[in-house]
Amino acid sequence: MDLRIKSYQEYKDNYAQSIENPEEFWSVIAKKFTWKKQWKTTLEWNFNEPNIKWFQEGELNITENLLDRHLETKGEQVAFYWEANDPSEVGKSITYNELYKEVCKFSNALRQSGVKKGDRICIYMPMVLESVVAILACARVGAIHSIIFAGFSSNALADRINDAQAKLVITSDGLNRGTKQVDLKSMVDVAVNSCSCIEKIIVLNCINSNPPMQEGRDVWYNDIIKGQSTTCQPEIMNSEDMLFILYTSGSTGKPKGVVHTCGGYMVYTAYSFQNVFQYEEGDVFWCTADIGWITGHSYIVYGPLLAGATSVIFEGVPTYPDAGRFWQVCEKYNVNQFYTAPTAIRSLMAFGLDVVNKYDLSALKVIGSVGEPINEEAWNWYFENIGKKNCPVVDTWWQTETGGIMLSGLGKLSPMKPTHAGYPLPGIQMVLLDGDGTEIIENQQEGYLCIKFPWPSMLRTTYGDHDRCKNVYFSNYDGYYFTGDGAKRDENGMYRIIGRVDDVINVSGHRFGTAEIEDAINTNKFALESAVVGYPHDIKGQGIYAYVVVDGTNSAEQSQIISSLTESVSEGIGKIAKPDKIQLVTGLPKTRSGKIMRRILRKIAEGEKSNFGDTSTLLDPTLVEDIVSNSL
Ligand code: WTA
């Protein structure tokens, strides 16, 4: 199934068609997939409710499209090369035939465990092939997967399990990360203590740590797949049935479960994968994201497999055993398309070129970036030293909510410009709005990034709370999907992302709501109140700066209090959300009506000492001087 656009002119023509007649445009593409029953209505939509339905009454199973359909022609082709954390460990590979059998076996095991269509299953797993098998088995039996990144704490895991009312967790005894091993099973054990919905835990043995297994609840992955049939009838799914939930941070403390559905997500991830990366038969693709984030969902699992691609999946980290690991893996598998995050590039730049130049990167054709704005220095380094000035950099802008890439060049077809994500993909009606919600038509302007027409892989709701979906994404500007990002358009209409305009911080490409971090800090016995803001960070893009009001009567040492506060964030969310800076303060700058003036706190975190704009509404201006003089 070739969905590729092959020239820039063709892109422009397709874009024009996709705007003129979106339904016709997407139905031509959708017809190339395997449907059990053809859909009746291509699109029904209303951004006010919001109600978005693509390919209604169509029936399918996405796994038939990414496995069964390929078996005849690609059965013996490698679907994944798996590279272990430890470079001396022999890697594995799995062909489409083998993956199909493993998925069927695990699907049968899930059914035997009582899993039915519509049940929610939580996946808390390392970067191993069995994780892909688990994801696809859920999809095959019609269960809704909710993958929780394995860096989240047990509290965060419990919140997400409870929100989705999952009945089963799939996990492993632990995982390997560089020189460390992380225990996952004990995290799950603690989490499920407060999740009465959980009936079963399936545990994959990854690190031979022999964790305690609770009789009647915990089962080994290898035991339950034993003797299972290598074929499995896929569940028939409606196009608009839920495929998965993925939790993401927003401006309130509670993460929201972004819901994606089967038909539209399938069509758009396959289409965007082939076009952005210009993936051709025989190429080897590598996306370094974790399966716990949307990038892993769409461009490790679904997009590449739908396209019948061969990909690399990597268990480890970019700096182990040294900072040349990414490039060693690229050489080893002759990677043709490489997709990573600016934070990884920035951290690797610091190690110099010796660890890059040792390796043969000549197979590379396209190099990609995702998750945060890529600064010019990192862009140039990537283009010159990794792409050797021969590979286009595709700076892909998108979100958990968009399901797939919205803004990007298409391999070498499109013009590119450092730090600019570029143009919208066909079907994506991107606009900039001013503060009043009026569309900005001219170029060389800046505004709120919004989308004014549905695309197949857009979120449908936030799990269990449709009003929240409406309020967060569709209420700011009537009739538009609001991304939460600010952007500029250059003289040629190319988009450049400025960053979040809401209370979301993007740390190393991971999204955290400031309220979520504040909530975690506020559970600490020393904390009376807190305010968290982002600030520019050389490697992470944004760092986390926390101002915490502590109880003055407490005699504990400052350093003790700070480490205790840090621990509270690790426990509440996970080590990934630990503040980079914690400043203990006697009070927070508030207006007379009691609102924290975050604008001032943001400026202080950025290093400003004065020029805080209008501070006349502040209740206690001396507090600001105090915070500035003790700022970190
Ligand atoms: C940011 C990740 C600039 C943006 C796929 C967005 C980017 C948020 C880019 C979504 C990019 C993502 N340039 N900023 N190429 N890609 N972002 O949901 O702020 O984890 O709103 O999805 O990351 O993060 P999420």
Side-chain angles (χ1 to χ4, degrees), residues 248 293-295 369-374 395-401 421 483-485 497 499-500 506 509-511:
T248 188
W293 307 110
I294 191 68
T295 308
S369 167
V370 60
E372 40 167 333
I374 179 165
D395 178 0
T396 65
W397 176 89
W398 58 296
Q399 310 178 294
T400 304
E401 295 85 345
T483 65
D485 279 351
I497 306 300
R500 302 290 307 193
N506 192 330
H510 302 158
R511 277 165 69 169

Side-chain angles (χ1 to χ4, degrees), residues 273-577:
F273 169 73
Q274 290 195 21
N275 280 298
V276 168
F277 299 102
Q278 288 290 304
Y279 182 90
E280 292 173 273
E281 287 279 332
D283 284 349
V284 177
F285 174 78
W286 181 20
C287 165
T288 70
D290 191 281
I291 46 151
W293 307 110
I294 191 68
T295 308
H297 284 61
S298 301
Y299 300 111
I300 292 177
V301 183
Y302 289 106
L305 291 176
L306 285 163
T310 297
S311 306
V312 175
I313 179 165
F314 174 45
E315 182 187 32
V317 293
T319 47
Y320 178 76
D322 62 45
R325 190 66 194 278
F326 272 1
W327 323 125
Q328 176 246 327
V329 175
C330 281
E331 176 186 90
K332 180 170 174 186
Y333 298 101
N334 282 309
V335 170
N336 302 108
Q337 289 92 3
F338 177 72
Y339 190 31
T340 197
T343 189
I345 298 166
R346 286 192 297 264
S347 70
L348 296 179
M349 277 164 67
F351 292 90
L353 290 175
D354 289 352
V355 285
V356 177
N357 293 338
K358 279 212 300 233
Y359 300 105
D360 178 5
L361 301 178
S362 60
L364 285 175
K365 296 197 271 192
V366 175
I367 53 179
S369 167
V370 60
E372 40 167 333
I374 179 165
N375 50 308
E376 192 147 6
E377 197 192 351
W379 195 101
N380 286 327
W381 188 88
Y382 196 32
F383 179 65
E384 284 165 22
N385 301 301
I386 305 305
K388 316 289 182 197
K389 299 186 183 163
N390 277 323
C391 304
V393 175
V394 288
D395 178 0
T396 65
W397 176 89
W398 58 296
Q399 310 178 294
T400 304
E401 295 85 345
T402 69
I405 297 166
M406 302 277 99
L407 289 172
S408 172
L410 308 183
K412 65 178 184 323
L413 307 185
S414 316
M416 62 176 175
K417 181 169 167 186
T419 77
H420 286 65
Y423 297 108
L425 263 69
I428 309 307
Q429 301 195 25
M430 200 63 85
V431 295
L432 291 180
L433 300 186
D434 67 16
D436 301 328
T438 309
E439 269 184 49
I440 302 171
I441 308 297
E442 307 82 43
N443 284 336
Q444 290 187 290
Q445 298 286 329
E446 185 176 320
Y448 299 110
L449 190 68
C450 293
I451 307 178
K452 72 171 180 187
F453 194 85
W455 62 100
S457 66
M458 72 184 296
L459 88 162
R460 302 298 196 261
T461 187
T462 44
Y463 192 78
D465 190 352
H466 193 63
D467 277 349
R468 187 153 180 214
C469 172
K470 176 177 166 159
N471 294 334
V472 175
Y473 305 105
F474 298 94
S475 298
N476 295 50
Y477 303 105
D478 242 11
Y480 296 89
Y481 165 79
F482 175 47
T483 65
D485 279 351
K488 278 183 188 163
R489 236 177 358 230
D490 78 357
E491 63 282 10
N492 299 312
M494 266 194 175
Y495 284 90
R496 174 186 186 150
I497 306 300
I498 301 167
R500 302 290 307 193
V501 295
D502 53 7
D503 289 326
V504 170
I505 313 182
N506 192 330
V507 186
S508 301
H510 302 158
R511 277 165 69 169
F512 298 105
T514 54
E516 196 183 354
I517 305 172
E518 288 161 8
D519 284 356
I521 291 176
N522 296 346
T523 60
N524 187 281
K525 61 174 189 262
F526 297 116
L528 295 177
E529 198 183 6
S530 61
V532 166
V533 298
Y535 71 97
H537 186 289
D538 285 349
I539 305 284
K540 299 178 173 182
Q542 279 191 296
I544 301 174
Y545 196 125
Y547 300 88
V548 186
V549 184
V550 290
D551 188 351
T553 59
N554 209 294
S555 58
E557 293 276 338
Q558 279 220 1
S559 62
Q560 235 181 317
I561 298 179
I562 290 174
S563 53
S564 167
L565 293 167
T566 307
E567 192 44 38
S568 293
V569 178
S570 298
E571 278 173 13
I573 306 171
K575 289 198 176 69
I576 43 170

